[in-house]
Amino acid sequence: MPPRQPPDSAARHLPADPAERTIPTLRRLAAGCTACPLHLTGTQTVFGEGPERAPVMFVGEQPGDMEDEKGRPFVGPAGQLLDRALADAGVDRSKVYVTNTVKHFKWVRKGRRRVHEKPGRLEILACVPWLEAEIAAVAPAGIVCLGATAAQALINKEFKVTEGRGEFLRTPLAGWIMATVHPSSLLRIEDQAMREAAFLRFVGDLARVAEHVAGEGRPAVGEAG
Ligand code: URA
């Protein structure tokens, strides 16, 4: 049997000198990333956005249909729900960094719609050097994983949000890391009362993030005054 090819990796797109791995440079290089086949079907790379010295980084799974079109993370329905939850928790989105584990939209066509498909292990492995480089460049006090894909990429590959949700854990990547649900999981809850209860619990998780940041004397994530 021929030896198995090692999976390709975005690491080959990174500047050799870590000092050159700034967010603007990473964003420019990621725009040309061909490390996995998703660049063939995605419209564009959707890189993270937010202050380059944000105290907290929020990490989702991958861009959705609208993010793929606009080239910005969390601007579709899940992003709007995240914005509402952040606002209710007293977190100003413009003061945090928001990104994804995988930077291209993976989808299948169903009729006229492009429907989200979960990224596979090789796509995550290929793409994660961008996320690691973003974390190193921003050096946030803490990282919030939105959903299992981010938590399994950054905490451990067996991580279950149902078990480890809301725990502030140690990590070599930042001061702390915690995982909560992905906002799109809330959109899928059909029963209105259950959806509202789940939203309030999500807001509670984000409020604890804001408290954690404030307790560390880091730049606040909420509005002044
Ligand atoms: N879901 C994600 O995980 N990220 C986005 O940017 C949008 C939806």
Side-chain angles (χ1 to χ4, degrees), residues 120-146:
R121 193 179 65 87
L122 293 185
E123 290 144 357
I124 294 170
L125 273 180
C127 203
V128 90
W130 292 122
L131 176 59
E132 289 166 351
E134 283 176 298
I135 295 169
V138 174
I143 300 170
V144 180
C145 300
L146 298 170

Side-chain angles (χ1 to χ4, degrees), residues 10 13-15 23-35 39 44-48 103-104 127 130-131 134:
H13 291 279
L14 294 175
I23 292 297
T25 299
L26 295 170
R27 179 178 292 112
R28 179 173 54 75
L29 295 172
C33 186
T34 54
H39 77 278
Q44 56 192 317
T45 304
V46 179
F47 207 68
K103 308 288 196 249
H104 277 104
C127 203
W130 292 122
L131 176 59
E134 283 176 298

